[in-house]
Structures are given as structure tokens and as C-alpha cells.
Amino acid sequence: MSWFETLRTGLESVRTHRLRSSLTVLGIMIGIAAVILTVGLGQGAQNQVSSEITALGTNLLTISPGSSTSSAGIRQGLGSATTLSQADAAALASKVVAPDIKAVAPVISSGASLTDTANSNTWTTTVNGSTPAWATVRGRSVTQGRFIDRQDVTDHTAVAVLGSDTAAELFGPLDPVGQTVQVNGVPLSVIGVLNTVGSSSSSSSTGSDQDDQVVVPITTATERLFGTSSLSSILVQATSSGTLSAAYQEADTELLAMHQITSPTQADFTITSESSLVSTATSVDRTLTVLLGGIAGISLLVGGIGVMNIMLVSVTERIREIGLRKALGATPSLIRRQFLVEASVLGLAGGALGAVLAVVGSVVLPHATGYPVSLSGVAAGGALAIALTIGLVFGVYPASRAAHLPPIDALRSE
Amino acid sequence: MIDLEEVTKVYRTGSLSVAALRGITLRVDEGEYVAVMGPSGSGKSTLMHIVGCLDVPTSGRYRLAGADVGGMAVRQLAEVRSRQIGFVFQQFNLLPTMTALRNVELPLVYAGVDRADRRRRALRALGRVGLGDRVQHRPGELSGGQQQRVAIARALVTDPALILADEPTGALDSQSSAEVIALLNELHQAGRTLVLITHDPDVAGVAQRSVRLRDGLLVAEEALV
Ligand SMILES: Nc1ncnc2c1ncn2[C@@H]1O[C@H](COP(=O)(O)OP(=O)(O)OP(=O)(O)O)[C@@H](O)[C@H]1O
Ligand SMILES: [Mg+2]
């Protein structure tokens, strides 16, 4: 008998046992959909964190001041030292010293209270003094007005660029450009609003809200607002992701030289890359994915036991049928093939429907819960393989055993 | 056609063993019509299962159409069942989920007959047993007599040399029984070898020869015609 004929016989059998077939398919379908969706949820969370971190700027290195030792000999926390200067930043910007560095932005940050002079609205947020390079390095742009320029820095202009959330808090629906805000008593006129990166939840994973901050010229910050010239950080952008470690080396070497430090262990600064942040965050999320996947796997197993039960019962029920088919001339291998086809059809149908259900779920779930779902082919393939295995093992094995009974024993069984 | 020599069959269930056949020697020639009679439990069905290659003897030798069945592999036995033997069971043994037509086609599927041919032959066999108008009915939609006629159509559709019937009228009323017996008689007229198990002396009366079993032994043979 040809495979085509076997396929027909198997399909006929699936069709004529509708209830049993649909229960089997349902069990597999739900198991598969659960696995794909749970893994997808974990993967989605992981991707979200990655994209939020990328929103901080790509190929980015952050140089922070190291720890300092006070006159009393007490070592203070990282970033407490006042070791980074604008001269350091200028040195790193040199193409000769650091060919792999594309842009450098010195930053002085501080929390400050902002007051809208027209309505006396107050809002507390982070104020960053920096240069025009800040926008390049952070990968940001302005949606209204303009960003600070070289002239602003040279002239210590009293201007500010607001994050979109900051602007909304202070001015509501009004056009913020042209308004005046007071920072530490100094009136600054608003010249632009930053684009929205929409990372409302980013504060949890990356520590700051990219839509709620203020950027002012660095000279304005040092001389008019904060009265200090030591930098909070220097942001360095490498020319590409491939040159990130070269840029790291160049920055490290140059700063050690500038600070006249001979041993790297004595460095009074630290350089961190955003990619290390990414890997930490994603590894946390990967743990989550594995955990969720485990739970899904268990649910698939439970579903599989259900399917197994249906299969076993159905084969037992059909031992008479097997005996009859053998009496009519079927060989054991034909019987085995028929059940193989049946189990594969059920397993594949369940798997395919489960995948469809998962795709539907991946559209509906984010709307209902707000969590992104990212479908993974590996999870889908794995789940399908498991479903098929369950179907084959528990559908084919008992059938194959029955196929080897003398036909009369099978025929007589009740 | 059939040549049994000192065939025994012992069933073992746990520590208990039942000798269902205790040394049967029997020859049935080609084209013969033999009725097997005997009280319940005497081993008639066991004998038929061995003759039909549905079961294997515990000892003794069985040659079917000159070939020693004892030495055959599982595949060859399936082939013999498919090509040479047609069965009619007391309980019909039709597949309840399939139509009469599909049930009759089944042996042809395993004999490797192609679809169009299969359909044609199955329809002809059903026509021959008088069920040409019931081909799309499932067994549950047919009377007992009609079901047994479907089973007979299934037994003759592969055109086997040997037809084995185990109490084919056991579950039928006298009217349906008569129809079934008439059909079997026709098959014999057409040149097939027939072995029929029955309790009914009237049914046995249509055969050429009858053999009687008791406690797994052949006790009497008589020519009837
Ligand atoms: N599978 C089996 N396992 C154990 N013993 C069996 C088995 N099949 C039949 N027997 C025993 O073998 C003996 C012969 O049984 P068999 O079915 O051949 O009788 P029979 O002549 O066909 O009876 P009946 O007229 O009631 O159909 C009986 O004693 C029966 O109990
Ligand atoms: Mg019997």
C-alpha cells in the first residue's frame, strides 16, 4: 500500500472520530499556544529593556569621576570626586588622540527646581549643562524650536531646552518655546523641546526618565546655575559599535595621561559602556524567560499527559479494529504507518492551531495587559516538536504493539 | 487446499492451560464445501482461526494450497490472508465509522488495488449480495442480515479461493439466515472452497461434507451429498 493510500486511511480515521480528534487537537493547541506566548512575553520584556537602553544613545561610553578621599581619610562613593574637567573632554574630542571617538559631550547634572515665571508652576527635575554634542551622543533631536548651539556655549546664553514631559508639566498645552523658566533663581528662556522617546517605564530599568530633563549650555550651568566647573560625566560616542572597545582604550589612556596616573588601578575615573548595562538587564530578563518557559513547559507536559491519555484510550478502544484490519490483510508495518499518520496529523493540526492562537494572543495580550509579546520561532518549533513527540510516542507505540499481536487476540479483545 | 496434520492448540492463561485442539488431522480439497459442527467450546472457532492464519497452532503442521504456513513470516501471513482467504464472522466485524462501501473496499486497500478499480469491485460485490442501494449506509443504519451481507461482500471482493465463515447465521433470524446461506451456496457453486461453522443441522445440510468436533478432537466425518 502506498504512502498516499496510508495518508488517506489515516485522515479518514481522523475524520470519522471527530470528537476524539478535536479533543486531542485542543489539548495540543492550548499547550503549544501557552508555551509560545509565555516565552514571547519574556522575550518581549527583554527586547523592551534593550530598546530603552539603546534610547540612551548608541555606541556610548560614560566616563564618571572616581571615588575621592576626604581630608579626614574617608573614601567617598563613586562619582563624588571632582576629577573630570572640561579640558579632559576637549582632549578626548581630539581626532589625533582618539581617532575612534566620534563625539564627546561633557555634562554637569544636578537636580533643580524649575519655576514657570508666568504662572508660578514649579517642577523639580534634572538639569544638564552640556554642549551641542549632547544631542548627537544621546541620539536626540528637537521637535520644536532649536537645540543649544556653539554660540550659546560661548556666550553663556540664558537658554534651556526642555524634555517633552517637563514642558508639559510646566506649560501644559501652551507652546513652551519663548516662555521663561527660572532655575535656581536665574531666568532662562525656552528655545526648544526634545523629541519624545516614550520610555515611561524606563525609570525602572535605566534610572532616569529621558523625557523629563532640561539641557542648558554648559557655560551657563557652571557660571550661572551651579557655581562649579567639575563635570558629572563625560559622554563619549564611538564611531561604530565595532570601535567601542578601541574608543574605550583611547579614552582610558588619554585620561590616565591627563591626570598623570601611572597605574590603571589608581584611576580616578570609571568608564562604563551602555552595552554592559544592556547585558546585565538582558541577563535578568533571560532568567525571567527561562522561568516562564519552564512554567509553560510544565503546562505543555500536563497537556501532553492529557493527549497521551486520549491517545492510549483510543488505541485500546481500537485494538479490535487493528485485529480486523490485520485479518483483512494489513501488515503490522501498515498498521503502524496508519497510526503514525493519524498521530502526526493530530499533532501538526494542534501545533499549527496553537501557533495561530499564539499569534492572535500576541496581538491581543499587549492591548489587554500592556506587556509586549515577541514571538520566537525557536519556542514555536520546540513546542511543535514536543507536541509531535507526545502524539507519536503515545499514539504509535501502543498501536505498534497491538499490530504485533496475533490478529485473533486483537479481534477478541474487548 | 487445506491440509492439517496433528494440529494442537493450547491456550495458557496464567498457570491454567486449556487444550482447545488436541490433534486434528483434516484435509479439505479445492472447491469443497465443508461444515464444521460440534458443541460449544469444542474448538470450532479455534480451528477456523488457525485455518485462516489468524492464529498459529501450538504444534502440528498446516499446509495451505501446498505452502507450509508454520514457516511463514508475519508479512507473508498477511499476504496469504489478503490474497487467499475471505472471512465472515459471527459478529460481522464491520468498522462502524465507515460506510458499507468503504468496509468492502478495505481488503482491496491492503491488496494494493488502485482506487477506481477498488470502487468498481466493491460496488459489484455489494450488488451481488443485493445491497446495491445501501452502499453509503453505515453498519449502524443496516439490519443484522444486511450487515452480514456486507461482511460477505467484503469476504468475496478480493476473489479469494477459500472462504471461512464462523457461525455466519448465529445472530440472524431464519429469513436472513436463509438469504446468507443461499449466498454462500452461490459462492461454492462459483468454485470456491468453503468452510462453514454452524450449530444448525439445516445449515450444515447444504454442505457436501460435515465434520464434528468434541473436546478438541475430530469425532465424526460424514459425506452429506
Ligand atoms: N483466547 C483464549 N484463551 C483461553 N482459552 C480460550 C481462548 N479461546 C478459546 N479458549 C478455550 O478454548 C476452547 C475452545 O474454544 P472455541 O472458541 O474454539 O470453541 P467453539 O467450538 O468455537 O465454541 P462456540 O460454539 O461456543 O463458539 C474453549 O474451552 C475456550 O474456553
Ligand atoms: Mg465459536
Side-chain angles (χ1 to χ4, degrees):
Chain A
M1 195 164 82
S2 67
W3 268 103
F4 176 72
E5 201 57 59
T6 316
L7 192 68
R8 261 175 52 91
T9 313
L11 285 177
E12 179 176 39
S13 201
V14 167
R15 237 183 308 112
T16 48
H17 299 96
R18 278 199 194 85
L19 181 65
R20 195 185 64 214
S21 300
S22 31
L23 282 178
T24 311
V25 167
L26 192 70
I28 297 178
M29 178 175 115
I30 290 173
I32 298 268
V35 172
I36 299 179
L37 277 182
T38 24
V39 173
L41 273 172
Q43 192 71 48
Q46 202 168 313
N47 292 350
Q48 192 180 34
V49 170
S50 312
S51 71
E52 277 166 9
I53 291 170
T54 330
L56 293 173
T58 46
N59 310 327
L60 192 63
L61 296 172
T62 305
I63 306 170
S64 320
S67 47
S68 63
T69 308
S70 73
S71 50
I74 299 161
R75 264 177 86 76
Q76 308 205 306
L78 214 62
S80 58
T82 52
T83 49
L84 292 179
S85 66
Q86 292 204 47
D88 292 337
L92 293 179
S94 152
K95 280 282 160 235
V96 182
V97 168
D100 294 307
I101 290 176
K102 183 175 149 199
V104 178
V107 181
I108 297 181
S109 307
S110 179
S113 187
L114 277 63
T115 310
D116 158 21
T117 43
N119 303 308
S120 307
N121 274 347
T122 326
W123 182 247
T124 304
T125 187
T126 311
V127 175
N128 301 299
S130 193
T131 60
W134 187 92
T136 320
V137 169
R138 283 284 192 211
R140 300 295 291 273
S141 58
V142 287
T143 46
Q144 296 172 52
R146 63 174 182 87
F147 197 65
I148 55 174
D149 59 22
R150 212 153 270 296
Q151 202 61 44
D152 291 324
V153 177
T154 319
D155 296 349
H156 310 195
T157 329
V159 293
V161 178
L162 305 186
S164 56
D165 287 353
T166 319
E169 289 294 343
L170 286 170
F171 303 109
L174 295 178
D175 181 3
V177 177
Q179 305 277 356
T180 307
V181 284
Q182 280 203 347
V183 178
N184 290 352
V186 180
L188 304 175
S189 79
V190 177
I191 54 166
V193 177
L194 291 169
N195 65 329
T196 307
V197 291
S199 50
S200 54
S201 62
S202 69
S203 42
S204 58
S205 49
T206 55
S208 62
D209 188 338
Q210 295 304 305
D211 287 330
D212 182 19
Q213 58 183 340
V214 177
V215 183
V216 300
I218 190 161
T219 45
T220 314
T222 53
E223 273 147 52
R224 295 195 179 184
L225 304 181
F226 306 139
T228 169
S229 62
S230 72
L231 300 179
S232 314
S233 61
I234 300 174
L235 302 175
V236 170
Q237 188 177 33
T239 47
S240 74
S241 61
T243 57
L244 197 61
S245 59
Y248 184 104
Q249 287 304 327
E250 289 158 13
D252 198 37
T253 314
E254 179 59 15
L255 286 181
L256 287 173
M258 293 277 295
H259 296 183
Q260 293 168 347
I261 297 168
T262 46
S263 158
T265 54
Q266 300 288 306
D268 55 358
F269 59 90
T270 38
I271 307 178
T272 51
S273 81
E274 299 298 351
S275 66
S276 67
L277 203 61
V278 173
S279 67
T280 314
T282 45
S283 84
V284 169
D285 279 353
R286 196 166 300 130
T287 315
L288 188 76
T289 308
V290 168
L291 203 74
L292 285 173
I295 293 169
I298 291 169
S299 70
L300 185 66
L301 191 73
V302 173
I305 291 171
V307 169
M308 178 176 113
N309 192 30
I310 295 173
M311 285 285 196
L312 276 177
V313 168
S314 90
V315 172
T316 317
E317 257 179 11
R318 293 171 64 192
I319 288 184
R320 274 177 71 87
E321 176 187 334
I322 292 172
L324 177 67
R325 286 178 183 273
K326 286 193 70 177
L328 299 180
T331 57
S333 69
L334 284 180
I335 299 284
R336 214 167 31 232
R337 274 204 234 159
Q338 180 195 331
F339 277 81
L340 189 83
V341 167
E342 284 188 47
S344 314
V345 165
L346 294 179
L348 282 174
L353 287 176
V356 170
L357 188 66
V359 169
V360 171
S362 74
V363 175
V364 174
L365 260 188
H367 282 294
T369 64
Y371 294 112
V373 176
S374 122
L375 294 181
S376 138
V378 175
L384 204 63
I386 293 170
L388 263 183
T389 311
I390 290 170
L392 293 183
V393 169
F394 298 103
V396 176
Y397 175 67
S400 152
R401 277 192 32 178
H404 281 285
L405 286 176
I408 196 61
D409 289 356
L411 252 179
R412 253 200 301 244
S413 83
E414 284 304 330
Chain B
M1 182 88 212
I2 297 168
D3 185 2
L4 295 164
E5 219 177 288
E6 283 301 312
V7 165
T8 69
K9 178 73 187 179
V10 179
Y11 290 112
R12 285 202 177 72
T13 29
S15 56
L16 217 74
S17 65
V18 179
L21 298 177
R22 298 190 293 162
I24 302 276
T25 301
L26 176 71
R27 285 180 58 101
V28 177
D29 291 331
E30 216 166 312
E32 247 195 308
Y33 188 173
V34 176
V36 179
M37 299 188 65
S40 186
S42 58
K44 304 182 298 292
S45 295
T46 306
L47 179 66
M48 194 192 91
H49 297 149
I50 288 172
V51 168
C53 302
L54 295 177
D55 210 348
V56 287
T58 310
S59 72
R61 212 190 50 177
Y62 171 34
R63 296 167 73 87
L64 176 67
D68 190 351
V69 172
M72 286 186 184
V74 172
R75 280 193 64 89
Q76 287 170 297
L77 284 176
E79 173 101 8
V80 166
R81 286 195 294 268
S82 172
R83 303 224 174 271
Q84 304 191 34
I85 303 172
F87 289 100
V88 181
F89 300 93
Q90 182 174 357
Q91 274 82 30
F92 321 140
N93 277 332
L94 300 172
L95 289 181
T97 54
M98 293 182 173
T99 62
L101 182 64
R102 283 296 291 161
N103 266 290
V104 175
E105 276 187 8
L106 212 52
L108 295 176
V109 169
Y110 293 120
V113 176
D114 73 52
R115 253 178 100 183
D117 206 18
R118 214 157 66 202
R119 207 181 151 78
R120 199 171 48 73
R121 285 170 67 175
L123 285 170
R124 200 174 56 204
L126 279 165
R128 195 153 162 204
V129 299
L131 288 175
D133 55 344
R134 294 281 194 283
V135 296
Q136 292 303 336
H137 286 55
R138 285 171 208 285
E141 299 156 359
L142 296 169
S143 74
Q146 287 169 335
Q147 289 185 54
Q148 194 61 302
R149 278 167 23 208
V150 172
I152 292 173
R154 185 180 62 189
L156 63 84
V157 75
T158 52
D159 215 6
L162 175 63
I163 290 184
L164 303 173
D166 190 350
E167 299 189 38
T169 58
L172 303 179
D173 61 31
S174 55
Q175 167 72 36
S176 306
S177 291
E179 287 170 14
V180 165
I181 294 304
L183 267 172
L184 291 175
N185 214 12
E186 256 177 54
L187 292 177
H188 170 240
Q189 309 280 312
R192 289 189 179 79
T193 311
L194 230 92
V195 177
L196 168 78
I197 295 176
T198 183
H199 278 295
D200 188 340
D202 292 344
V203 171
V206 297
Q208 292 170 307
R209 178 157 76 107
S210 95
V211 297
R212 188 169 291 273
L213 284 184
R214 173 162 302 143
D215 292 334
L217 287 170
L218 218 55
V219 292
E221 261 202 62
E222 51 190 295
L224 293 167
V225 181

